[in-house]
Amino acid sequence: MKELIKLSLSDIDVIRDETEDDGNVDFALARLKFMGTSVDDTENSQGYLLSEDILKEYAQTALGKFITGKVNPYSRDLMSHEETPEVFGYVPPNSEIKFVQEGTRWFAICDAVIAKIYCKGVIDAFRLDNDRCVSIEASVETHPNNPKLIESFTIHSITILSKVIRGAVKGANMEIIKFSSEKAEEYYNHKEDNPLKKFADERKKT
C-alpha cells in the first residue's frame, strides 16, 4: 500500500559563532539527522516502524530535495505543511549520507545548504527561538499485512515547523551552522558543482 505521509522530526539548534558579526553572514550549512529507525510509538508517535536495513537502503532519497517552510508574518513563527511553501535551501545531490548508532537506534545524517540571503523571515524566527522542529514529507510503501511497517520510502522535502507542532521521530534533529562572509564566499565560488550557487542564480531569475 502506498500513501503520502508527513514524518515530523525533533529539534533544530542554531549554532552561533560569537566571534563573527551576525550582519556578515549570508549562507549556512545545515547538518540533518533526518531519519531514524523505530520499533514502536515511543520512537515514532505516528506508530510507523522502520528497520535499519530499510533506512540505509532508502535514505539517499533525501539527496537533491528542498528544505521548505513558511513564516507567519504576524506571529513571526514558522507554520506547518502549507500548500505554497517557501524554499529555504536544499540537500546537495553530492552530500554524503552517513549512519550513526545511538543506543539501539540508527540515524541517517547528511549536510544541507541554507540560503540565508533569501530567507530573512526564517532566520529572524531562529533568532527569536532557535529550538525548532522539522518534518520529512515522504511517500512510503508499507507491508500488505501491516500498514505501519515501512518497506520503502521516498523523501520529497524537509519542512521547518511551528513551535506549537510536536515532532514525531524521537532523537532526530537539524543543526544550522553559520558561515562568515569569507567562508561563505569561498564555499560559494570554489566548491565543485556548488548547489547553493545554482539555487541562488535560479532565485535571482524569479
Side-chain angles (χ1 to χ4, degrees):
M1 181 175 68
K2 188 172 184 177
E3 59 180 319
L4 183 66
I5 64 170
K6 295 176 174 62
L7 296 177
S8 295
L9 304 183
S10 60
D11 294 330
I12 296 177
D13 293 318
V14 177
I15 300 179
R16 305 193 62 174
D17 186 343
E18 298 299 334
T19 66
E20 294 178 356
D21 181 356
D22 185 70
N24 291 331
V25 177
D26 293 317
F27 312 117
L29 287 181
R31 179 146 297 168
L32 303 171
K33 191 198 297 182
F34 63 92
M35 199 76 172
T37 56
S38 55
V39 298
D40 56 35
D41 59 8
T42 65
E43 297 171 344
N44 183 310
S45 63
Q46 296 177 347
Y48 284 98
L49 310 177
L50 182 64
S51 70
E52 175 187 344
D53 290 342
I54 297 300
L55 173 69
K56 292 182 175 180
E57 183 173 356
Y58 294 99
Q60 78 277 0
T61 63
L63 298 176
K65 303 305 169 60
F66 289 120
I67 309 297
T68 65
K70 197 160 189 175
V71 177
N72 185 315
Y74 302 104
S75 68
R76 301 176 66 188
D77 191 8
L78 285 113
M79 300 167 71
S80 183
H81 290 270
E82 305 299 320
E83 293 185 1
T84 57
E86 299 172 7
V87 175
F88 302 139
Y90 75 119
V91 180
N94 60 349
S95 183
E96 180 183 4
I97 294 181
K98 300 179 180 180
F99 300 94
V100 297
Q101 187 173 15
E102 297 182 5
T104 60
R105 303 180 66 199
W106 284 89
F107 290 91
I109 296 177
C110 70
D111 289 344
V113 177
I114 303 297
K116 287 190 173 185
I117 55 176
Y118 297 107
C119 307
K120 185 177 185 302
V122 71
I123 299 305
D124 287 345
F126 277 112
R127 287 175 180 144
L128 289 173
D129 192 330
N130 65 7
D131 182 19
R132 296 186 174 275
C133 295
V134 296
S135 171
I136 283 180
E137 184 168 323
S139 294
V140 301
E141 293 278 356
T142 59
H143 192 280
N145 297 324
N146 185 347
K148 291 297 186 180
L149 179 59
I150 296 176
E151 293 192 325
S152 69
F153 62 88
T154 300
I155 295 172
H156 303 302
S157 67
I158 300 171
T159 300
I160 306 173
L161 300 174
S162 165
K163 286 295 295 181
V164 301
I165 298 176
R166 180 183 176 188
V169 179
K170 183 179 179 181
N173 61 45
M174 174 176 170
E175 295 178 334
I176 297 179
I177 306 171
K178 295 206 304 182
F179 273 165
S180 66
S181 296
E182 181 179 353
K183 291 179 182 177
E185 185 74 12
E186 180 180 359
Y187 179 88
Y188 189 85
N189 289 323
H190 300 297
K191 184 173 175 60
E192 183 179 0
D193 298 324
N194 187 341
L196 177 57
K197 187 176 189 303
K198 181 179 178 182
F199 172 73
D201 289 344
E202 289 298 320
R203 289 297 294 267
K204 289 177 183 178
K205 296 176 184 177
T206 60

